[in-house]
Amino acid sequence: MPDLLFEIGTEEIPAGYIAPACRQLENNFRRMAQEMTLGHGKIRVLATPRRLALIVADLIEKQADIEEELLGPSKKVAYDTEGNLSKAGAGFARSKGANPTELQVIETAKGEYLMLKRTVKGRETIELLPDILDALINTLSFPKSMHWGLKRLSFARPLQWIVALFGENIVTFTHEGIESSNTSMGHRFHANTSFPVTSAVTYETQLAEKDVVVDPGKRREMVLTEIRQAVAENSTFSNGHVQIDEELLDTVTNLVETPSGVCGTFDKKFLRLVPDVLITSMRVNQKYFPVVDEKGGLLPGFVAVNNTRVNNVDVTRRGHQRVLRARLEDALFFYDSDRESKLSDHIDQLSGIIFQAKLGTMLEKKNRLVKLSRLLAEKINSALVSDCCRAAELCKADLLSDMVGEFPSLQGVMGADYAEHDGEPAGVALAIREHYMPKRAGADIPSSDTGAILGLADRFDTIAGCFGIGQIPTGSADPFALRRQSLAVIRIINEKGYRISLEEIIAKALSLYGNKVDASSTTIDKTTAFIRDRFINDAVKEGNNAEAVEAAASVAFDDIVDCRERMDALSAIRSDESFAVLAASYKRIRNIIGKNSSSDVNTALLTEKEEKELYSFYEEAAVEMKKHIAVRDYTTALKAMLIMKEPVDHFFDVVMVMAEDKAVRANRLNLLTGIGDLILLVGDISKFQK
């Protein structure tokens, strides 16, 4: 079976757009092929800044024939009294393009109906591909698209050519005036000429001959080789190596079609800048990799990756050095300028920065953070109150610095450096640096309790404030990243083991806004539920048993650490056979008791042997479970609960709960309610399906 090659040639696409576009290209083709019953082999998606390419191995040449059975109107409606087709019957045949003689009557569960059985011939794949490939272009979406000339299509960058080959045959179609062909383009600078592609099999080799490495994985390895070799060949850094930033590596990979590395140097005077400043200046502005020593300390060097072959290394190196020097001179000027005044001198100027239109300024946020940090510190470690409050006072002041104005990603980093320069305590400076952590999923959380407390205060303030004004995330709209901030709250509390009340902290955070927000219990409940939903989703993604997560979180979520401990205990015991039986019995208990809330049992009304036995085991389990729950030993508490498994079974086998005597009935319901309440101290085990 032939292979399909589809290449969309463009002007240079932004590096960050390429990987998502490749995923879309593959997924959209898979969906279309499935809808059209086009079987195929392996799919590869290749890309460079100038092209997106799809290679499909062993694409079938023709759809399979389909046997259709189309049900029409009933026989009574389809034929008149003389046995001739009625208008309804003739209309059915006509709508299907069939001859009335092809119709037959079949027996169904509803009676006799008309049926048309026919064979639909499969179409040649080469006939279907023009519409499929044209649709693939139309369905690609990008963070930002553009129109050009008189074109109706919006795309990341203007389209220049289209290659469409099925085997060695050209798939002919026209998209916005561009005719598909077998003609591709080489490297823009090394081989900027068109050439005919023979087939999907030769595509990658032919591009390589034109200085284009079209496989992103291979190009990534080439980038790594080039930057490492560039440092190794520079005698200045005999003990140095490249610091690899995976995101930067991905970006650079998608900026070039053939990489070429050059190692350069910069003046040692710039090393007095905060390392993050140097790295950010190199990474963000120039896409350069820093050079470091064996201990990870910055050396006065960098590696640039060019998209052109370097003929004169010295000339290319000097060019990169000249550009970087200008950037670093600016950074050094900003740095020295910022340090001429104290960080605390900028606090009052926070009144000029809006946090959120309805929630006020950053100065107001800072004032709330001081109070919220104090509350959290008193609960977690009262010895940290002073440092936490001071860090909260200063943590947003670096927003007014020239350096953060130039590099917003250095928020916190610069604040910490300036705080150290001003003589602030080391714990305060560290908290300022760490309170933005974790910045993304999987990133490190604050190492210090002071940083963790300030980070929690900052996020609780934002989450509560947004919910207080109804700014709740919907769909993909989450302008204040409340989902990400909630996950950060969960991670910090879990990994630090902080036992704090979510509802209490959220209520305090809302109250600090005064009349700007709705601080009702409804808002508190919605905010807590939002964080709980993130907890459930994240815990399941981590590989935890979904039923155990739901069982624990559904009964209590005010203390995240406690919820995690109950979840772990439920996960550990769920495979126990007795637990599975008891879980099934609990579902029955819950259905029977309905809205009954009392658990007061009158032992004088216990007449049956089985209910007396169950009550005895219930009392024993209650004592044991509550003893272990008090010290949060949930695994042992659950094991103590299992002694009720057989008594519950015997009870349901013999005892009629809904007895005619109202007092007896109520007493039995109360017994079952008490058992249910006891089980819910750990989790709602009815969430377990087996």
Side-chain angles (χ1 to χ4, degrees), residues 513-555:
Y513 278 99
N515 59 8
K516 290 178 187 280
V517 303
D518 173 10
S520 66
S521 59
T522 301
T523 303
I524 297 171
D525 291 342
K526 285 182 178 179
T527 310
T528 306
F530 180 79
I531 298 174
R532 182 183 64 237
D533 290 344
R534 305 285 78 71
F535 173 88
I536 292 172
N537 292 339
D538 194 52
V540 173
K541 282 182 182 178
E542 288 176 356
N544 292 287
N545 177 262
E547 294 168 340
V549 177
E550 286 278 357
S554 62
V555 298

Side-chain angles (χ1 to χ4, degrees), residues 343-356:
L343 193 60
S344 56
D345 294 341
H346 297 299
I347 293 175
D348 290 341
Q349 298 171 49
L350 289 171
S351 61
I353 301 178
I354 298 297
F355 165 53
Q356 203 277 345

Side-chain angles (χ1 to χ4, degrees), residues 33-34 36-40 59-60 62-63 125 128-129 132:
Q34 184 177 13
M36 296 190 176
T37 62
L38 294 176
H40 57 80
L59 182 61
I60 62 172
K62 181 179 178 294
Q63 290 177 313
T125 302
L128 299 169
L129 283 174
I132 293 176

